[in-house]
Amino acid sequence: SRHRRALASLVIAIGVTCALCAACQKPSARSPGPARPDIVIITVDTLRADRLGCYGFAPARTPYIDRLASEGVLVEHAIAPTPITLPSHASIFTGLYPPAHGVRDNGRYRLPDDVTTLAERLKADGYLTQAFVSSMVLHRRFNLNQGFDGYDDEIRSEGDAKMFHFQERSGARTMDRVTHWLETGPGSTSPGTPFFLWIHLFDPHQPYEPPEEDAKRAPTLYDGEIASVDRQIGRFVDALKKRGSFDDTVLVFTSDHGESLGEHREATHALFIYEATVRVPLLLRYPKKLPAGTRYDASASSVDLVPTVLALADLLPMKTQGVDLSKALTGAAEPPAISPYSESLHGEIEFAMAPLHGVRAGPWTYIRAPRAELYDRRDDPGETRNLLGSSIAKAEPATREAAKKQAADLDRVVSEILQDSRQFDFTGSTSPLDPQTVEMLRALGYMGEPGAKGGLEGMDPKDGVRAFDDLDRARQLAFEERYVEAKQVLVSLLDWVPKNASARNLLAMCEFRLENPGAAKQHYLRSLADEPRQAEVLVQLGRIELAEGRRDAARERFRDALTVDAE
């Protein structure tokens, strides 16, 4: 009948609609398909590529990391987007450059909620997601925990920090937690469900304090820290093998940035974007797709990891600024022409120096700065001969013109990347920090005192590096209780930048430790005159005035400190 035919048509329509809806469902709700691989990303903080055996460093004691390289793909020239921990990790897990995701430095920024992370993407696809981090710089308050079912950032229980240092968790302690999670977590609670695991190890970061056995056998303490981390990588691999899942895991090993180790007059990292601090190791192992023992000679960026990992796991892509390298890594496609971008706004944020933006294209390094820089790494791998500088003033006119043209071409690439980043329109929000975290970041040299900028406005960081190095040297001397020597360094520094509050307050502390409370008080007062809203300075003045018997004045200082801290 007509009614039966109408009912049949309605049933068919409903069936078609349901089928279409099922096809459009989020990945987490789709029908079970082929087994999906586990995904692991290991980031070792402050690790230079050229200090690993697999990258040619003969004295290295890195057998486990080297074995990963021999069993997978080693990327020869992987570049971090910034030499700073928080924004670099934000790029690793979003596939976006810092100007796109909005996190430009440590401490002051928080990843916006509306930025999609790899963990969120994988969680939506049915993955268990877990992170273990070893430094307060990556605490959940900075919002990298988006998408993780578990985010182990419990650092404060690791004991009190020494002066100018801060609480961190050793690689051994972090790996204890990781292996316990592997034994009791994903396999027992959700059998058959794939997991995404991020392991962050912090050991190679300054101060370099490796276990005694590594300190004795390594060429430097920095290399001793790397050797110690290597053992933890071995423990992790053994744990995966014990689970029987090692060869079914997409495993990525990389770093957030390198370490200058004195190159370009930079003791550690954060200020410059030369190879020493932005070239990082990148190893990928997944026997089902990646041929063992492959060395990928082309360039790659940390922002390429998200699209590449998703492709290796046969998962749908997400919008990033990175490139899927999965086919190129296997030799199934030509390597894409990538010009990795790097930046450092640290000098600008902390000392009002000029920011640095740069790209690498093939053998060329270009850095946009007040005095722009161009290097040809084929005959200048250390980036020491600026082809735009005075050192080639006597070169042939054609040579000078060729360098200017190359620089102009690469400067346009920088502008294009910055312009492309605007489409994402994310702004890293300022994160409220507790006093302990602020002090930790200042001890690291990541966060200066308010008012620390005096005297360096707009300066090229190449000229202002002395301020960073002298301040670091003074901190180290004070840590070693060599207060007289620290005082000498600080007095000289303040002759150059008299309004630098970080140096002024450290000098005041040295005077106090040298039992010169009057001199300490004068320095604190001068610092306060330049920048009144310094809670810690007000507390120190209150303590000095209390020792002088001026109880009412001390009470007023403490009250002012509480007011500032409350704001």
Side-chain angles (χ1 to χ4, degrees), residues 198-213:
W198 169 31
I199 305 169
H200 167 255
L201 304 176
F202 197 64
D203 304 58
H205 197 289
Q206 191 190 44
Y208 315 131
E209 298 175 334
E212 185 177 356
E213 61 177 303

Side-chain angles (χ1 to χ4, degrees), residues 2 78 160 185 195 238 242 252 270 275 309 328 456 477 496 551:
R2 181 166 56 87
D160 294 333
F195 65 77
D238 288 344
K242 184 178 179 181
V252 177
E275 292 274 294
V309 165
L456 301 181
L477 290 168
W496 183 34
R551 299 175 65 86

Side-chain angles (χ1 to χ4, degrees), residues 180-434:
H180 177 74
W181 181 82
L182 285 173
E183 292 169 358
T184 62
S188 58
T189 59
S190 304
T193 302
F195 65 77
F196 168 50
L197 173 62
W198 169 31
I199 305 169
H200 167 255
L201 304 176
F202 197 64
D203 304 58
H205 197 289
Q206 191 190 44
Y208 315 131
E209 298 175 334
E212 185 177 356
E213 61 177 303
D214 298 309
K216 288 179 177 178
R217 302 174 69 185
T220 69
L221 294 179
Y222 174 71
D223 295 299
E225 293 276 33
I226 296 170
S228 178
V229 162
D230 184 75
R231 268 198 312 282
Q232 305 314 316
I233 302 302
R235 288 180 60 197
F236 177 69
V237 169
D238 288 344
L240 284 186
K241 288 180 177 178
K242 184 178 179 181
R243 294 184 81 248
S245 61
F246 185 43
D247 288 341
D248 298 318
T249 299
V250 176
L251 193 154
V252 177
F253 176 92
T254 190
S255 178
D256 55 346
H257 56 73
E259 188 81 315
S260 272
L261 301 176
E263 293 183 27
H264 300 277
R265 297 187 298 153
E266 183 178 30
T268 55
H269 61 273
L271 183 60
F272 292 134
I273 54 174
Y274 299 114
E275 292 274 294
T277 59
V278 298
R279 185 187 175 211
V280 294
L282 178 55
L283 313 175
L284 300 97
R285 185 188 187 278
Y286 186 39
K288 291 185 177 180
K289 290 191 176 182
L290 298 176
T294 301
R295 298 185 81 90
Y296 183 74
D297 292 331
S299 294
S301 169
S302 299
V303 300
D304 300 327
L305 284 177
V306 167
T308 301
V309 165
L310 290 175
L312 288 172
D314 293 320
L315 299 171
L316 296 174
M318 53 187 270
K319 187 175 182 180
T320 71
Q321 291 176 294
V323 176
D324 171 12
L325 300 177
S326 59
K327 296 276 195 300
L329 294 176
T330 66
E334 287 295 315
I338 294 174
S339 298
Y341 167 86
S342 299
E343 70 171 31
S344 175
L345 274 62
H346 186 65
E348 180 185 39
I349 292 168
E350 296 301 338
F351 285 87
M353 295 182 193
L356 298 177
H357 306 272
V359 291
R360 282 157 174 76
W364 299 100
T365 296
Y366 171 75
I367 300 173
R368 179 188 286 179
R371 297 197 311 282
E373 302 170 60
L374 179 70
Y375 302 97
D376 185 346
R377 298 190 311 277
R378 286 170 293 193
D379 56 11
D380 182 22
E383 299 167 322
T384 59
R385 297 191 297 277
N386 181 9
L387 299 180
L388 304 177
S390 58
S391 61
I392 66 160
K394 297 180 181 180
E396 293 294 327
T399 301
R400 295 199 302 270
E401 286 305 313
K404 289 180 182 178
K405 183 181 184 305
Q406 183 68 55
D409 290 343
L410 295 179
D411 191 75
R412 281 192 290 274
V413 175
V414 170
S415 295
E416 289 167 2
I417 291 171
L418 293 174
Q419 180 63 36
D420 178 70
S421 297
R422 292 192 181 101
Q423 68 170 300
F424 295 92
D425 198 29
F426 295 123
T427 301
S429 57
T430 301
S431 175
L433 300 178
D434 58 77

Side-chain angles (χ1 to χ4, degrees), residues 57-220:
F57 187 56
R61 304 186 63 82
T62 54
Y64 295 106
I65 297 171
D66 297 345
R67 189 173 303 160
L68 287 180
S70 69
E71 295 174 352
V73 178
L74 179 150
V75 178
E76 291 279 7
H77 199 242
I79 298 299
T82 178
I84 303 171
T85 297
L86 178 63
S88 187
H89 277 93
S91 289
I92 289 170
F93 292 113
T94 64
L96 302 176
Y97 286 120
H101 60 60
V103 180
R104 312 302 283 272
D105 202 1
N106 286 335
R108 286 183 170 87
Y109 294 88
R110 181 179 185 274
L111 187 70
D113 290 333
D114 48 354
V115 176
T116 301
T117 67
L118 179 61
E120 289 176 304
R121 175 67 181 77
L122 293 174
K123 184 176 174 64
D125 210 49
Y127 274 71
L128 293 172
T129 56
Q130 176 68 39
F132 295 87
V133 302
S134 302
S135 166
M136 291 295 289
V137 178
L138 298 174
H139 190 274
R140 68 185 63 218
R141 66 166 54 88
F142 303 118
N143 215 27
L144 276 185
N145 63 319
Q146 291 185 74
F148 283 105
D149 298 313
Y151 194 86
D152 186 338
D153 58 357
E154 179 51 51
I155 312 293
R156 295 192 186 280
S157 62
E158 296 297 315
D160 294 333
K162 301 175 184 177
M163 182 174 65
F164 299 123
H165 295 172
F166 63 99
Q167 291 163 316
E168 62 175 282
R169 187 164 61 195
S170 71
R173 294 271 291 165
T174 294
M175 200 55 72
D176 287 344
R177 291 173 176 249
V178 171
T179 54
H180 177 74
W181 181 82
L182 285 173
E183 292 169 358
T184 62
S188 58
T189 59
S190 304
T193 302
F195 65 77
F196 168 50
L197 173 62
W198 169 31
I199 305 169
H200 167 255
L201 304 176
F202 197 64
D203 304 58
H205 197 289
Q206 191 190 44
Y208 315 131
E209 298 175 334
E212 185 177 356
E213 61 177 303
D214 298 309
K216 288 179 177 178
R217 302 174 69 185
T220 69

